[in-house]
Amino acid sequence: MTASTPSPGWKVLTAMLVVLVLWASAFIAIRFVGDALSPGPLALGRQLVGTAALVAVALVRRPPLPRGRSLALVALYGVLWFAGYTLVLNLAERHLDAGTAAMLVNVAPLIVAVAAGVFLKEGFPRSLVVGMLVAFAGVVLIATGGVGNHADPLGVVLGLLAALLYALGVLVQKVALRDTDALSATWVGCAIGAAALLPFLPQTVVEVGAAPAPAVWAMVYLGVFPSAVAFLLWAYVLKRSPAGVTASATLAVPAIVVLLGWLLLGELPTVLGMVGGALCLIGVAWSRRPSRPARR
């Protein structure tokens, strides 16, 4: 008789809920900024604020710094996730409503599973293949019939590129965290992401100086809460609950984004777009089903 996995406590569940809401709110905040800040300056400003907040926490906790190969992996993770994903997502949300962007980005777990099957030799179980086909049908539906007043086909391409960068960042992060403290990996990765975005610094200074106060505060919010606070809480949750269950919980983010987008921005994906997004999420969820054990 095997012992059952203990259920997470209320603190873990509360932290997970906060993470989901904060990550969902990032899609709304990016749309809220609109044309006040260009995608590059918004990405750089967010990472600079996030780095400052994370460094403040690191100065108190003083975790060990990554070195050698671990540092190289953290640097790659920072460029892929904090710089690349953030920048491309900002670009995508110039062409997509927040809900559609969130649904496309959440194809990332499926990309991770495919990459693990190819590069980590984990294979392609039936659940993964079925999930891929269902999610692909959803993407096709969004691209062909789910583009409404707040979206266009270029946004779909950018949304999928953001999902790819997100997935690559997760894969590199998984390897980096084998030998690196989670807080160090987060703040160093965020700082390297900010450094990679420094070519936008002159434009950022000009645009932030001319932007309305609500847009600047939205940028600060993105750096402090969806970046710094959410990533620290994410590490707290991962340490205390099964990784698969925790990762699956992020599938709730698009639903929260659609609700917030409707309430705060007056945006809703088209009916076909929502059906396509639902297929994407169903495909991802199906792909994460465990394979049946072989019969004796």
Side-chain angles (χ1 to χ4, degrees), residues 145-189:
V147 177
N149 295 330
H150 303 290
D152 63 49
L154 176 59
V156 175
V157 175
L158 290 170
L160 292 175
L161 178 58
L164 176 61
L165 291 169
Y166 184 104
L168 292 174
V170 168
L171 288 168
V172 175
Q173 182 193 32
K174 283 180 178 290
V175 180
L177 287 177
R178 293 173 183 171
D179 306 307
T180 308
D181 177 82
L183 175 57
S184 292
T186 304
W187 85 256
V188 173

Side-chain angles (χ1 to χ4, degrees), residues 184-256:
S184 292
T186 304
W187 85 256
V188 173
C190 189
I192 290 173
L197 294 166
L198 281 178
F200 293 105
L201 182 59
Q203 185 181 357
T204 302
V205 173
V206 173
E207 292 192 9
V208 169
V216 176
W217 283 114
M219 180 190 73
V220 173
Y221 171 84
L222 284 166
V224 173
F225 293 99
S227 291
V229 173
F231 272 99
L232 290 176
L233 287 177
W234 176 253
Y236 171 84
V237 172
L238 273 180
K239 189 174 181 179
R240 292 164 176 80
S241 59
V245 175
T246 305
S248 297
T250 61
L251 294 176
V253 168
I256 301 173

Side-chain angles (χ1 to χ4, degrees), residues 273-288:
M274 295 183 73
V275 173
L279 287 176
C280 289
L281 300 182
I282 290 171
V284 173
W286 190 275
S287 72
R288 299 182 67 85

